[in-house]
Amino acid sequence: MTTRGQPDADKASPEPGDSGEAAKYLPREVLSIGANERKESPGQNDRLMEEVANPANLNTAWKRVRENGGAPGIDGITIAAFLKHAKPRSEALRRQLLEGSYRPSPLRRVVIPKPSGGERLLGVPTVQDRVVQQAFLQVLQPILDPTFSEHSYGFRPNKSAHQAVAAAQAYLQQGYGWVVDFDLEAFFDRVNHDRLMSRLGERIADKRVRWIIRGFLQAGVMENAQLKATTEGTPQGGPLSPLLANLVLDELDKEMERRGLRFVRYADDCNVYLRSERAAANAFENLTGFIEGKLKLKVNRAKSAVARPWERKLLGFSFMPGKNAKRRIAPKALAKAKERIRELTKSVPRHVVC
């Protein structure tokens, strides 16, 4: 089985000081205003917006967005063009953040074909929204990430896919020779906003932070020149989406830990390892009930399975049968790599050696 983040009448929060058009933002020289302000303590959880809107934090966020590149959002403003609009509006952006009145723009829909068939729907935020999301990420990740399970490896500092595969291999070597391989159907499109905001509210006291994050979730998507509401999901494409996805699935991690299960999770890829087929089948049914009943997500039963680990793949790898459970590249991943090599080399001219 992965990725990769995004106001309505039902919002109960106030709308203080909405200044209308979203401000444009940017670089160090632009951020000289207020640069010497005292930075609020990260421990003051109800004053986190002061951390987000701090000029140094915004400047770092801008650098990350600029380094990552990417296409423009619905406003058509590229990263290079964004610089021209930023300087006179940087203070307006900070004011909107501090007031909690910042309003994200709708996402631009991009459809990416999957190698195995089907499509992945991405939502491309505007450059400014990417800067703001990155600024939120830089403040929230140090608070949220330490509360996550040690068995979660996706999109986290000092965690990797190779660590996840190594952990799975260790379980097999310990005799856990059956795997429950979960496929969460359209996970990023199905995340329940109310549950996500409830989880966020348990950790983040600053209502301005929660209000603007809900704004990102419900900003809508422009598709075929029409604005479509986003009542669920954390659209892939923004810097904040992976952190929010981990926050949602941390509830699943904690449930599996409570049950004493051995598992590895990388974003929405989740494998659980057990000693017998019967135990694996029971775990599949019980966890499916939890995922669909409590988390309001959907398990794709056609793609999920209770099987031997060498019959399945994890993050492009599989395992050999036997006590050592040696790793190997999964057949489909290997075939894909070979095909890519052929594509890259078929147009290379052959040199004749005399």
Side-chain angles (χ1 to χ4, degrees):
M1 298 169 33
T2 279
T3 186
R4 348 295 39 11
Q6 307 339 71
D8 249 3
D10 63 339
K11 297 189 187 74
S13 304
E15 300 185 7
D18 191 349
S19 6
E21 180 187 2
K24 307 294 190 270
Y25 170 75
L26 184 59
R28 177 171 297 170
E29 60 273 18
V30 178
L31 293 173
S32 58
I33 300 176
N36 296 321
E37 292 177 355
R38 182 179 64 84
K39 191 175 182 181
E40 296 287 333
S41 167
Q44 296 176 357
N45 204 307
D46 60 341
R47 303 292 293 173
L48 288 181
M49 191 60 78
E50 279 67 23
E51 298 286 334
V52 173
N54 184 277
N57 186 57
L58 288 170
N59 189 60
T60 300
W62 156 249
K63 289 180 179 179
R64 289 289 180 85
V65 170
R66 182 177 58 187
E67 290 169 0
N68 291 336
I74 63 166
D75 58 6
I77 297 177
T78 64
I79 288 179
F82 180 64
L83 305 183
K84 302 175 184 177
H85 299 270
K87 189 170 184 177
R89 303 188 181 186
S90 61
E91 187 59 24
L93 172 63
R94 294 190 66 246
R95 185 178 65 253
Q96 289 179 339
L97 290 173
L98 291 171
E99 292 174 348
S101 63
Y102 183 80
R103 292 295 175 268
S105 301
L107 303 168
R108 180 171 66 85
R109 172 67 77 212
V110 175
V111 180
I112 305 296
K114 291 183 179 180
S116 57
E119 299 176 332
R120 173 174 286 113
L121 300 179
L122 301 184
V124 180
T126 63
V127 176
Q128 177 174 278
D129 281 346
R130 297 208 292 273
V131 171
V132 172
Q133 285 196 34
Q134 180 65 37
F136 271 81
L137 177 66
Q138 291 164 183
V139 171
L140 295 180
Q141 190 164 55
I143 297 172
L144 299 179
D145 191 82
T147 71
F148 293 159
S149 169
E150 63 178 311
H151 307 293
S152 168
Y153 296 90
F155 307 106
R156 299 183 61 191
N158 304 314
K159 294 279 191 176
S160 70
H162 287 288
Q163 290 175 350
V165 174
Q169 183 181 27
Y171 290 141
L172 302 188
Q173 292 170 344
Q174 294 166 16
Y176 294 87
W178 287 86
V179 62
V180 180
D181 186 354
F182 279 108
D183 184 285
L184 301 183
E185 187 174 296
F187 166 72
F188 286 91
D189 299 324
R190 290 181 177 271
V191 168
N192 183 281
H193 288 174
D194 290 337
R195 288 205 62 81
L196 169 54
M197 295 309 300
S198 175
R199 296 286 289 175
L200 190 65
E202 293 171 1
R203 294 165 169 82
I204 303 301
D206 195 324
K207 293 182 179 180
R208 297 166 298 174
V209 170
R210 304 203 306 265
W211 171 251
I212 293 177
I213 288 178
R214 184 178 279 275
F216 276 114
L217 293 172
Q218 299 184 333
V221 176
M222 289 298 296
E223 190 171 0
N224 299 322
Q226 291 187 334
L227 177 61
K228 295 187 176 181
T230 47
T231 58
E232 61 181 359
T234 58
Q236 300 179 71
L240 196 54
S241 183
L243 179 65
L244 297 180
N246 275 330
L247 178 60
V248 170
L249 290 175
D250 183 63
E251 194 168 2
L252 173 61
D253 296 342
K254 296 300 193 291
E255 176 66 14
M256 289 189 288
E257 289 177 346
R258 188 186 69 79
R259 294 170 184 245
L261 296 172
R262 276 77 175 169
F263 69 95
V264 297
R265 183 177 65 77
Y266 190 97
D268 59 333
D269 291 339
C270 183
N271 280 10
V272 186
Y273 297 89
L274 299 107
R275 291 188 182 275
S276 70
E277 182 178 13
R278 180 178 179 181
N282 288 338
F284 176 77
E285 291 303 323
N286 291 335
L287 290 175
T288 295
F290 180 85
I291 291 168
E292 296 185 339
K294 190 164 186 179
L295 301 188
K296 310 301 181 185
L297 298 171
K298 177 70 174 176
V299 173
N300 187 331
R301 291 177 179 266
K303 293 184 178 181
S304 300
V306 171
R308 291 293 198 177
W310 46 87
E311 297 172 350
R312 307 294 291 180
K313 65 181 179 69
L314 173 67
L315 302 172
F317 287 87
S318 185
F319 303 94
M320 299 289 290
K323 185 177 180 180
N324 292 327
K326 292 183 178 180
R327 293 182 232 177
R328 63 177 180 177
I329 300 176
K332 287 186 178 179
L334 183 60
K336 180 181 176 183
K338 290 180 177 179
E339 178 61 28
R340 181 58 177 157
I341 292 172
R342 282 193 289 268
E343 291 176 0
L344 293 173
T345 58
K346 65 182 178 182
S347 59
V348 177
R350 296 182 179 180
H351 299 283
V352 178
V353 180
C354 298

